Amino acid sequence: QVQLVQSGAELRKPGASVKVSCRPSGYTFTGYYLHWVRQAPGQGLEWLGRINPRTGGTHLPPKFRGRVAMTGDTSNSVVYMELTRLTYDDTAVYFCARLGDNSNNHLDFWGQGTLVTVSS
Amino acid sequence: QSVLTQPPSVSGAPGQRVIISCSGDTSNIGDNSVNWYQQLPGTAPKLLIFGDSQRPSGVPDRISGSKSGTSASLAISGLQSEDEADFYCGAWDDNLNGLIFGGGTKLTVL
């Protein structure tokens, strides 16, 4: 069965960086795009971008370009999302999710989420 | 402020039917598929409807989706207490060239 397992909760100070991992299983790693979505406490969903695990190519919204990096390791079937220059507003649960297909742009399987807390 | 507009909350009694709306424009809902996600408290979102009206395996047929023009709707009939959750619509936006979500709707089963 398809599963996406993420790394554990992180606590960082403002200005620091954080790197979250997402390890899919149950399907061909290079066969599906992976997206990252975050959710601040009590708020809605915000898209951070996507990565093609086969090529390493990424697509990020302008808001996060220069501050978010997404990478993939095909040898170990894991993707990473790194967020730099953290501020208090980056406190959120970060999810990775598999793109079901490009025609509908739906996210069919999600990781359990990783809480990133930014606090001094 | 979300690009897709949803009501903050809806409610209904057990057994009743509720509808959650999602309003957008021609660059998103009008030109691309709408997907719906259910998020139970403290858990990750779960895909409920994709491609405007298709149900993934395991989603009961009392849950349905539809779209007309630049608006979409999620209908849940035969309400059950376990349906209490937050619901989000999502779609690709051609102008923003990215994935967007509605602000979410909290469903309360009375």
Side-chain angles (χ1 to χ4, degrees):
Chain A
Q1 72 284 17
V2 175
Q3 280 190 306
L4 284 71
V5 178
Q6 299 182 222
S7 48
E10 303 275 11
L11 174 63
R12 293 286 186 275
K13 294 187 186 308
S17 299
V18 69
K19 194 170 186 177
V20 180
S21 69
C22 172
R23 192 179 298 269
S25 61
Y27 70 94
T28 302
F29 175 71
T30 53
Y32 294 81
Y33 283 56
L34 284 166
H35 289 239
W36 289 88
V37 175
R38 75 178 183 180
Q39 185 172 38
Q43 302 301 308
L45 304 175
E46 182 176 28
W47 183 65
L48 275 69
R50 73 179 185 208
I51 180 170
N52 179 343
R54 182 175 62 84
T55 66
T58 61
H59 176 59
L60 310 177
K63 175 179 179 178
F64 294 109
R65 288 174 199 163
R67 212 161 69 88
V68 167
M70 296 179 186
T71 56
D73 179 355
T74 54
S75 299
N76 294 296
S77 299
V78 59
V79 296
Y80 300 93
M81 188 283 300
E82 183 173 25
L83 183 59
T84 61
R85 304 193 303 276
L86 290 168
T87 71
Y88 297 115
D89 290 343
D90 293 317
T91 294
V93 177
Y94 289 75
F95 297 100
C96 63
R98 190 184 83 163
L99 179 69
D101 66 66
N102 289 332
S103 60
N104 292 309
N105 281 294
H106 63 279
L107 304 176
D108 60 357
F109 291 94
W110 295 64
Q112 83 276 20
T114 296
L115 174 62
V116 174
T117 303
V118 182
S119 175
S120 57
Chain B
Q1 187 173 353
S2 303
V3 180
L4 302 179
T5 303
Q6 298 180 236
S9 63
V10 297
S11 63
Q16 285 189 331
R17 181 174 184 256
V18 294
I19 295 177
I20 299 173
S21 61
C22 175
S23 176
D25 59 37
T26 54
S27 65
N28 41 70
I29 293 179
D31 204 38
N32 296 292
S33 297
V34 177
N35 308 302
W36 290 91
Y37 304 90
Q38 177 190 42
Q39 187 176 32
L40 298 170
T43 69
K46 167 193 166 186
L47 179 66
L48 210 57
I49 293 287
F50 68 97
D52 301 336
S53 59
Q54 300 178 71
R55 283 185 301 273
S57 173
V59 174
D61 59 7
R62 63 186 183 86
I63 294 173
S64 62
S66 63
K67 186 176 82 172
S68 178
T70 59
S71 292
S73 295
L74 175 73
I76 304 175
S77 58
L79 268 181
Q80 302 173 5
S81 58
E82 51 262 43
D83 293 328
E84 275 206 350
D86 293 323
F87 294 82
Y88 294 90
C89 57
W92 188 263
D93 189 285
D94 294 330
N95 288 346
L96 298 175
N97 198 22
L99 203 53
I100 58 172
F101 296 96
T105 298
K106 183 176 181 59
L107 168 64
T108 301
V109 180
L110 301 171

